[in-house]
Amino acid sequence: MTINYKGAALYFKVEGQGKSIVLLHGFLEDSSMWDDLIKHASKTNRVVAIDLLGHGNTDSLGYIHTMETMAAAVKAILEYLEIKETAFIGHSMGGYVALAFAKLYPVHVKGVCLLNSTFQPDNEHRKTLRTRANKMAQQNFEALIKMSFANLFSAESKIALGVEYKKALKTALKTSPQGYMAANEGMKCREDFSVFFAKATFKKQIVLGEKDTLLDLNFILEYAKKNTIDTAVFSEGHMSHIENKVEFLRKSMHFIENI
């Protein structure tokens, strides 16, 4: 399904009946990343999977997609579907969008699961890398995507899950340069959600990969312990829904069932 939002087409799919669960994909992904989870969760829940701005079948809205801009687009879809309360599972960038949504519209949020994601803002090194990547995107976009994507999987997973890796890369390569750069700029300027997430009263969960080089694993685990947040650490990298599929499905369903 698509709706018009400020002149842009927003794509989403809805399956099942029951309490609502919203799935938000990460950078260079689209709603298809959730297909396996949707099969399980839609048996007893109303599952909404959204293509975020500039990704999948959803248009871009400009040249900077802040997390709040993406959250407002998600809100438009939920209003269209007349969903008053929901829980979110957000992968990587999708987790940032879920946190932005929760801060903007707290009355509508029952829970947030950060899947290979964080409440922390970009540090200066990461901001510099994003700026450099956006310059490269204007010159050799395909090479940039392939280089960026290689860091998402553990070395072992790239070999053992070659078919799945190539499928996910194919999806990443469909992202437009504008969508890539706008999301990168938005992530670069995102706020620090550390205090907000710690104090939030909705259900919380964090899922991490032990070999994920993009996140500060030890810092997040210490934070989660201090704030009594349910946490799971899987054996591989940043793509737990692919690299640790069985464990991911089990943990995600436990989160959904206990909302």
Side-chain angles (χ1 to χ4, degrees), residues 42-85:
S42 63
K43 294 176 182 178
T44 51
N45 302 276
R46 188 185 190 194
V47 184
V48 182
I50 296 171
D51 280 359
L52 294 169
L53 292 174
H55 288 72
N57 294 307
T58 289
D59 295 336
S60 293
L61 260 184
Y63 292 92
I64 301 179
H65 292 152
T66 67
M67 302 304 97
E68 290 74 21
T69 301
M70 291 196 183
V74 171
K75 179 69 157 49
I77 291 172
L78 299 192
E79 287 179 349
Y80 174 81
L81 295 173
E82 299 182 344
I83 293 174
K84 305 298 183 185
E85 280 189 315

Side-chain angles (χ1 to χ4, degrees), residues 126-143:
R126 178 65 63 182
K127 289 178 182 179
T128 299
L129 290 178
R130 292 196 196 281
T131 299
R132 192 179 301 158
N134 275 5
K135 289 180 180 178
M136 185 177 174
Q138 301 172 53
Q139 300 164 353
N140 196 338
F141 187 62
E142 183 173 335

